[in-house]
Amino acid sequence: MEAVQFIFWEAIKALALAVLGLLAIKAASGLRLKTLARAGLYALVLALAALGARGLGLDIAAEVAYWTSIRSLNRSDVPQAYLSALRAVERRPANLHYWQALARAKLSGRQFQSLVEDQPAFLQLARGPLDEDDLLRFALCRYSLQQYGQVIPMTQELIRASPVYTEPYVLEGLTYTALKKYPQAEKDFLNALQLYPSQADAVEGLAQVYFLTGETGKARAVLEATAKYPFPPKARKRFAALEDLYGQ
């Protein structure tokens, strides 16, 4: 739908540009001007038309690069996704969607510091609170860079904005675990599991908290309780590996 809207509006722009150019030339031809002045006016009209066409071309090139980035990321081709998103941003740096595509590519490519350095651009373009997905990406980068003190304010903002969004609880729980604040971490993981009992990361996080606090029995009980809920095979394998670890 977004692609259809883009094509529609770009077609309208192209049509408007062509009509305005023709009207300008017709109007100029009707003026009583000397040959040199008439030639200058025609040159001005052509220059303006060229600028409009260049802008239209940049719009189309940026949008093509944007969609190429999305398709590449869906195919797990992270380098191509990054390069395409970067081209889109370079052509139209005032478009927040292109920055978001670049952010997704950078996060997938573990370019955490580079993405953090883009945050001022997001704040300027958003002109208000950041989108939840954008804010979560920046929080994930801060966590990966071990900047734990900057993660908590972001996760708290996300939780206040959307209390039923489980990802901020999990990230906050992981951050508290890294800070060895285990009661707060336990609370966050439990909140996430109350909202979504099949949240695999919350299961692992809660079990790890109990293991780190010496409550191995509770850690194993958390993993055993997953039998009641549907989990993907990869998560089941991780749970089994943790059960073996905690049973040693």
Side-chain angles (χ1 to χ4, degrees):
M1 185 63 182
E2 186 178 346
V4 173
Q5 290 178 341
F6 172 80
I7 293 171
F8 173 77
W9 287 115
E10 291 305 307
I12 292 295
K13 288 180 188 178
L15 180 61
L17 183 64
V19 170
L20 288 174
L22 290 172
L23 290 175
I25 291 175
K26 184 176 181 180
S29 65
L31 296 175
R32 296 181 179 179
L33 298 172
K34 293 182 178 180
T35 303
L36 185 61
R38 188 184 301 278
L41 186 57
Y42 283 151
L44 178 61
V45 171
L46 289 173
L48 292 174
L51 285 174
R54 181 179 182 275
L56 190 64
L58 286 174
D59 285 344
I60 294 172
E63 191 71 10
V64 169
Y66 168 69
W67 285 108
T68 300
S69 176
I70 291 176
R71 287 194 297 270
S72 297
L73 200 58
N74 289 338
R75 297 195 305 268
S76 299
D77 187 352
V78 177
Q80 183 59 56
Y82 168 74
L83 291 174
S84 296
L86 185 61
R87 281 196 288 269
V89 168
E90 289 172 345
R91 284 164 172 76
R92 281 292 180 254
N95 191 312
L96 182 58
H97 290 302
Y98 300 160
W99 283 96
Q100 289 168 335
L102 183 60
R104 288 191 289 270
K106 284 186 176 182
L107 187 61
S108 297
R110 303 180 65 80
Q111 298 184 45
F112 304 125
Q113 184 59 44
S114 179
L115 181 49
V116 165
E117 291 170 359
D118 290 342
Q119 190 168 354
F122 277 77
L123 291 169
Q124 182 180 0
L125 293 173
R127 297 178 182 178
L130 290 177
D131 178 87
E132 289 181 1
D133 291 337
D134 292 334
L135 188 57
L136 182 62
R137 274 191 285 268
F138 288 122
L140 284 167
C141 287
R142 299 287 185 183
Y143 173 81
S144 300
L145 294 169
Q146 299 183 8
Q147 298 171 355
Y148 303 127
Q150 299 183 52
V151 176
I152 302 300
M154 294 183 180
T155 53
Q156 287 292 300
E157 182 179 342
L158 285 164
I159 290 170
R160 285 193 299 270
S162 183
V164 296
Y165 189 21
T166 61
E167 295 298 329
Y169 290 107
V170 174
L171 181 56
E172 188 171 277
L174 292 171
T175 304
Y176 278 132
T177 301
L179 293 170
K180 298 184 179 180
K181 295 183 177 182
Y182 300 125
Q184 295 95 320
E186 177 188 16
K187 181 180 178 181
D188 277 323
F189 291 132
L190 286 172
N191 283 335
L193 290 171
Q194 286 174 355
L195 292 169
Y196 185 38
S198 297
Q199 225 295 351
D201 292 331
V203 170
E204 293 185 41
L206 184 60
Q208 185 70 0
V209 165
Y210 290 142
F211 178 71
L212 292 172
T213 55
E215 300 177 277
T216 306
K218 291 178 72 173
R220 296 190 67 183
V222 169
L223 297 171
E224 290 169 359
T226 61
K228 305 174 185 177
Y229 303 100
F231 285 93
K234 287 185 178 179
R236 291 287 180 198
K237 288 182 179 179
R238 292 200 302 270
F239 297 160
L242 288 175
E243 283 193 72
D244 292 339
L245 174 64
Y246 299 156
Q248 293 177 1

